[in-house]
Amino acid sequence: MIREAIALSGKAKVVGVEVGRGKGTGMDSNFLGLTAIVTLGYQFIFFVITALLKFDKVTDLAGSTNLIILAILTLVLKGSWYFRQKIWHLDTCM
């Protein structure tokens, strides 16, 4: 199966890294870079709201909804719909 994946992709494969187009490859196979960018942007938006309105209650909302957004984003982008992933993401969002 690994040999077939290498032959189909036409790229070298590092053992333990999943081969797939658009599903995260190489260093960012777990979407760590994307989640960092989303988190920084999301938190910055709520920081600006807090600083302008001098209203600190939205920081708690930002922290909890950020986790939910990242869980859903990585589930959809990864595209693996195994039962274990569904349950983990459901628990995270609850």
Side-chain angles (χ1 to χ4, degrees):
M1 185 170 180
I2 293 174
R3 290 184 186 143
E4 294 171 359
I6 294 171
L8 290 175
S9 70
K11 297 179 182 176
K13 179 184 181 306
V14 177
V15 176
V17 176
E18 192 174 307
V19 173
R21 293 188 180 148
K23 300 208 184 238
T25 56
M27 286 286 278
D28 205 21
S29 62
N30 294 318
F31 301 107
L32 297 177
L34 178 66
T35 56
I37 291 168
V38 169
T39 299
L40 288 173
Y42 194 70
Q43 295 296 326
F44 181 73
I45 289 169
F46 276 93
F47 169 75
V48 170
I49 292 170
T50 301
L52 291 176
L53 300 178
K54 300 197 183 342
F55 184 68
D56 194 35
K57 297 295 180 185
V58 294
T59 55
D60 296 333
L61 174 71
S64 58
T65 56
N66 184 40
L67 184 64
I68 293 170
I69 288 171
L70 291 178
I72 294 170
L73 179 69
T74 55
L75 178 68
V76 170
L77 288 177
K78 188 67 172 178
S80 60
W81 301 99
Y82 299 110
F83 183 71
R84 181 174 54 92
Q85 277 90 358
K86 290 180 195 176
I87 295 300
W88 185 85
H89 283 85
L90 181 67
D91 279 346
T92 302
C93 292
M94 290 173 91

